[in-house]
Structure formats: structure tokens, C-alpha cells
Amino acid sequence: MKNVAIKEHHLYDKTFRRGKRSVGKYVAVYVLRDLKAEKLKNAHPEKIYVNRLGLSVSKKLGGAVERNRAKRVIRAAYDSVKTELKSGNLIVISPRSAICAAKSTDVSHELRRAFGELGLISSPKAKDKQQ
């Protein structure tokens, strides 16, 4: 399923200011509980909670080609991790300069570690109870 994007600028600001943060070699991850999660759940066809994902890529990273590659790598890494995550959060991922030479598997391992630090990785037992 396609990721739900954060579209409002104020939500990026709020996540950066109030959210929990984990910084690694390739990415910085910011997480904040989504107050509109219930409304989005009701609008979702399967009636499930979803995480909203935002990517914040600075021009300091490089030209358009480097920035778009960084976004592609982050999306691929996030897709491999998102099934393990608790839902109903705003997640903003900001790449660091080392991501230019990274592969999606490296970034995936770092995202898994960051989400574990932030308490977003759900245990398999909890998933069985939700279903």
C-alpha cells in the first residue's frame, strides 16, 4: 500500500519541535503521535490506523539528482520496515550527507534501530492481539 504523506508544513514544524528524535549515520528520524489518526482511520477503506510519512531533504545534500536518490533510498528502506511499526504517528525522516553513498539495506537497518529506540517497533505478540 502507498505511504500516506504529511502535506501540511505546520505538521513538519510540530514534529521537529515536539517529537522524539533519533539520529544516526544516514538519517535523522522524528516521531510524534498523530492527533488526526482517528479521523484518518475512519476515512481509510480498511478502517486501520496509518502512519503519515514526511521526507525533509535539504539542498545542502546536493543537486536534484542526489536529493531524489536519497528520497528513493529512504522510501525503499521505509517500505521494508513499515510492517513492523506501531501506527498512528507522524514520522519525518531527514537524510544526512552520508546517505549519498548508502544502499537501501544499510538505511533499512538504521531505520529499524532508530524506530526501536523510539519505541515504534511492535512485538509479534502485540500484532497477533490487534488482528
Side-chain angles (χ1 to χ4, degrees):
M1 180 161 73
K2 193 169 180 177
N3 296 325
V4 179
I6 299 175
K7 295 179 182 163
E8 298 91 5
H9 181 71
H10 69 93
L11 291 176
Y12 281 94
D13 288 340
K14 187 186 284 188
T15 306
F16 284 132
R17 279 188 278 114
R18 297 185 191 164
K20 293 189 284 183
R21 171 180 68 181
S22 176
V23 180
K25 180 179 177 184
Y26 302 120
V27 293
V29 179
Y30 301 85
V31 175
L32 184 67
R33 193 80 189 141
D34 192 0
L35 299 178
K36 300 284 183 185
E38 190 68 35
K39 187 176 180 181
L40 290 170
K41 175 189 170 195
N42 292 333
H44 195 274
E46 297 173 14
K47 304 293 184 212
I48 57 173
Y49 288 103
V50 293
N51 287 326
R52 290 199 276 174
L53 177 68
L55 300 176
S56 175
V57 184
S58 169
K59 286 190 177 183
K60 286 193 262 182
L61 193 65
V65 173
E66 289 87 5
R67 291 194 307 268
N68 286 328
R69 182 186 181 279
K71 289 189 275 189
R72 274 196 319 271
V73 168
I74 290 171
R75 282 190 197 109
Y78 179 77
D79 285 342
S80 68
V81 176
K82 74 179 178 183
T83 57
E84 304 170 19
L85 299 179
K86 294 178 183 176
S87 52
N89 296 297
L90 296 171
I91 299 171
V92 177
I93 302 174
S94 180
R96 303 186 49 144
S97 59
I99 201 167
C100 293
K103 297 187 180 194
S104 63
T105 54
D106 300 332
V107 178
S108 175
H109 292 303
E110 185 164 305
L111 282 179
R112 191 169 279 114
R113 181 202 52 81
F115 288 137
E117 279 181 17
L118 296 170
L120 284 183
I121 300 285
S122 59
S123 64
K125 291 178 185 175
K127 271 192 174 180
D128 294 338
K129 290 179 184 177
Q130 287 178 346
Q131 294 176 352

